[in-house]
Amino acid sequence: MGSVSLKIGDGTARFKRATLCSSALNILMLISVVTTNLFALYAFTYSPKDREIHTLNRTHKNISLISEQVSLILREIDVSQKKLAQMEKEILGYESIDLSRSNVANELKLFLQRHPLPLGKDSKSGITEMVASVGHSCEKSMDLLSQYMNYKVSGPCPDDWSLAQKLILRGCEPLPRRRCLAKSVPKVGLQPFPISLWKPVSDKIVMWSGLGCKNFQCLNSKKLGRDCVGCFDLINGFENQRFVKARGKNDFPIDDVLALTSGGIRIGFDIGGGSGTFAARMAEKNVTVITSTLNIDAPFSEFIAARGLFPLFLSLDHRFPFYDNVFDLVHASNGLDIGGKPEKLEFLMFDIDRILRAGGLLWLDNFYCANDEKKKALTRLIERFGFKKLKWVIGEKSESGKSEVYLSAVLQKPVRV
């Protein structure tokens, strides 16, 4: 009889997560091999009656051989599945957090422990224990995460917001909670709303640790991004004219956009909203806007809050923490340009579509198109959603002596049944 063996390749191929189909295939392979050997057994053991004793001995021998081969096949299948699972983890970068490591902070171990409900199973949710939530990519940054969770319980938290942001940017989101008291500074001189929208923010009410600049004058002399040049200067410059006066055909005044609808714009979401000027202008129209931001090179969150607006400290890799179909308006500028593979932008766009209600507006504001292919890819992606194009402008701007292409559009989400 022949022998059967299963071999694993050199690991260069990409494998997907094991499914019901792959398990069924393994079972089918096993049944096929067993059936073949049974037929072979029948062929080899058939003989006249006068050779029954000799045949019986050979039959027992063949059965033992088949049993050994089946056991060998089962072991090889098990080893193959384990190797595939390990390769999958290496490809996806996913691995469960190993709390047995010596460098894991005790507070992290305590936070990640499962805590049984005091009254047993909850009749409404069906859960029996509370499970802590932490981003699976945290496993790749265990040293930083343990450093973040190394503190004195009930004491002051380390001044490490920049460490927390570094973890978030590495995909370690959400971060675990901590049992320490966050550092704070006196918020003296805050203005009442709506005066606070356009009053300068004092340097003294902001924490400048971990930042290159230590005051707003320094920040206003820098270009922090395509949408933030002097964006902390609410008195001089163009910041107090944004969304009111257009500097080019790609700039849409807020009144023009709101006129495209028959009312009903009450709450909005601004993605990567800089210093919060869009939310401030919408507040003047009695529209509440949440601004997502990170403190990249500047204290954006504290500045937005000082203006009396709502900052949301969140990366664009995180699923938006909102229910479906809740926003009347989503505004996105170059903060939407997350780079990487096209699928990354697709995931983001589908999440934007999820939180935007039917009939709501998606406002793409001066989205930078690095090349013609990127412009076409974005156009094809938008068309997949079936949005109605209320405004669609592609224009050029001169940046650093060269011409760059920008897309501005106002899109209306259709009703889907």
Side-chain angles (χ1 to χ4, degrees):
M1 294 175 59
S3 63
V4 179
S5 64
L6 299 178
K7 295 184 180 180
I8 300 301
D10 60 1
T12 58
R14 295 182 64 88
F15 292 87
K16 296 182 179 179
R17 185 178 297 276
T19 63
L20 183 61
C21 293
S22 62
S23 298
L25 181 60
N26 288 333
I27 294 174
L28 183 61
M29 291 169 56
L30 177 61
I31 293 174
S32 177
V33 172
V34 172
T35 303
T36 302
N37 282 278
L38 287 176
F39 275 117
L41 173 64
Y42 176 77
F44 290 144
T45 58
Y46 180 77
S47 61
K49 292 182 178 180
D50 57 352
R51 299 174 61 189
E52 286 182 358
I53 297 176
H54 178 70
T55 300
L56 183 61
N57 293 333
R58 188 164 54 179
T59 299
H60 284 300
K61 183 178 180 181
N62 286 336
I63 290 175
S64 299
L65 181 60
I66 292 173
S67 177
E68 290 176 2
Q69 289 189 343
V70 170
S71 299
L72 176 61
I73 291 170
L74 290 174
R75 286 197 299 270
E76 291 193 0
I77 289 176
D78 183 61
V79 172
S80 300
Q81 289 179 334
K82 290 180 179 179
K83 288 184 177 180
L84 287 173
Q86 183 60 37
M87 292 172 67
E88 177 191 43
K89 290 178 180 180
E90 293 175 358
I91 291 170
L92 297 178
Y94 176 84
E95 181 77 45
S96 59
I97 295 178
D98 183 6
L99 298 181
S100 64
R101 296 180 182 179
S102 59
N103 63 336
V104 176
N106 289 330
E107 280 293 283
L108 180 59
K109 294 179 181 178
L110 184 61
F111 176 79
L112 293 178
Q113 283 181 358
R114 295 173 180 263
H115 301 280
L117 297 179
L119 300 179
K121 183 177 181 180
D122 181 74
S123 59
K124 293 183 179 180
S125 63
I127 63 174
T128 59
E129 56 187 7
M130 298 298 294
V131 181
S133 176
V134 64
H136 75 265
S137 291
C138 293
E139 208 281 332
K140 289 185 174 182
S141 305
M142 282 303 298
D143 291 340
L144 292 179
L145 184 61
S146 291
Q147 181 182 342
Y148 175 74
M149 293 298 290
N150 189 13
Y151 56 86
K152 182 179 179 181
V153 177
S154 299
C157 290
D159 187 7
D160 59 357
W161 72 264
S162 57
L163 173 61
Q165 182 167 270
K166 183 182 295 185
L167 284 165
I168 290 174
L169 291 173
R170 292 186 177 192
C172 184
E173 188 178 26
L175 286 170
R177 289 172 173 165
R178 300 198 294 187
R179 297 187 297 167
C180 57
L181 303 173
K183 180 181 179 180
S184 60
V185 296
K187 302 291 184 178
V188 180
L190 292 177
Q191 300 292 328
F193 190 85
I195 298 174
S196 59
L197 292 175
W198 301 105
K199 285 290 185 180
V201 176
S202 171
D203 297 333
K204 297 179 180 181
I205 67 173
V206 174
M207 289 189 294
W208 296 96
S209 61
L211 297 174
C213 286
K214 304 301 179 183
N215 55 63
F216 290 114
Q217 182 179 0
C218 172
L219 289 177
N220 286 325
S221 65
K222 296 178 177 290
K223 181 179 179 180
L224 300 175
R226 295 180 185 275
D227 299 316
C228 186
V229 181
C231 64
F232 292 97
D233 187 354
L234 304 181
I235 303 299
N236 304 307
F238 186 74
E239 192 66 18
N240 58 11
Q241 299 296 315
R242 289 187 68 194
F243 308 109
V244 177
K245 293 182 179 180
R247 289 191 292 183
K249 64 179 184 178
N250 283 71
D251 298 330
F252 302 156
I254 282 178
D255 289 336
D256 291 356
V257 174
L258 295 181
L260 298 174
T261 67
S262 57
I265 303 297
R266 304 149 302 159
I267 55 174
F269 183 42
D270 188 16
I271 300 175
S275 60
T277 295
F278 178 77
R281 286 301 179 196
M282 294 300 286
E284 296 175 336
K285 306 294 181 181
N286 295 319
V287 177
T288 301
V289 171
I290 298 173
T291 305
S292 73
T293 184
L294 288 174
N295 288 352
I296 305 295
D297 299 326
F300 289 103
S301 295
E302 288 180 283
F303 189 85
I304 292 171
R307 299 179 74 176
L309 303 169
F310 189 157
L312 181 64
F313 196 69
L314 187 76
S315 77
L316 291 184
D317 291 322
H318 195 288
R319 185 178 189 266
F320 296 133
F322 308 115
Y323 193 65
D324 301 355
N325 306 298
V326 294
F327 286 104
D328 306 310
L329 170 70
V330 174
H331 175 263
S333 53
N334 283 306
L336 197 65
D337 185 13
I338 55 179
K341 294 184 177 180
E343 291 82 5
K344 192 172 184 180
L345 179 58
E346 288 185 16
F347 276 112
L348 177 58
M349 285 293 293
F350 273 93
D351 206 25
I352 291 174
D353 179 81
R354 178 185 64 82
I355 64 175
L356 184 64
R357 68 167 174 83
L361 301 182
L362 171 57
W363 181 352
L364 294 179
D365 188 4
N366 285 279
F367 183 85
Y368 172 60
C369 300
N371 50 56
D372 189 61
E373 180 57 35
K374 186 171 183 178
K375 180 186 67 176
K376 291 179 180 178
L378 179 61
T379 301
R380 290 193 297 266
L381 177 59
I382 291 173
E383 290 174 348
R384 289 167 59 181
F385 293 95
F387 287 128
K388 182 180 180 180
K389 296 179 181 178
L390 303 181
K391 274 182 170 290
W392 185 274
V393 176
I394 297 176
E396 295 184 355
K397 295 182 180 180
S398 179
E399 293 284 344
S400 302
K402 64 178 182 178
S403 181
E404 296 179 341
V405 178
Y406 290 83
L407 168 66
S408 291
V410 178
L411 312 167
Q412 188 171 41
K413 180 179 175 178
V415 176
R416 304 191 188 106
V417 179

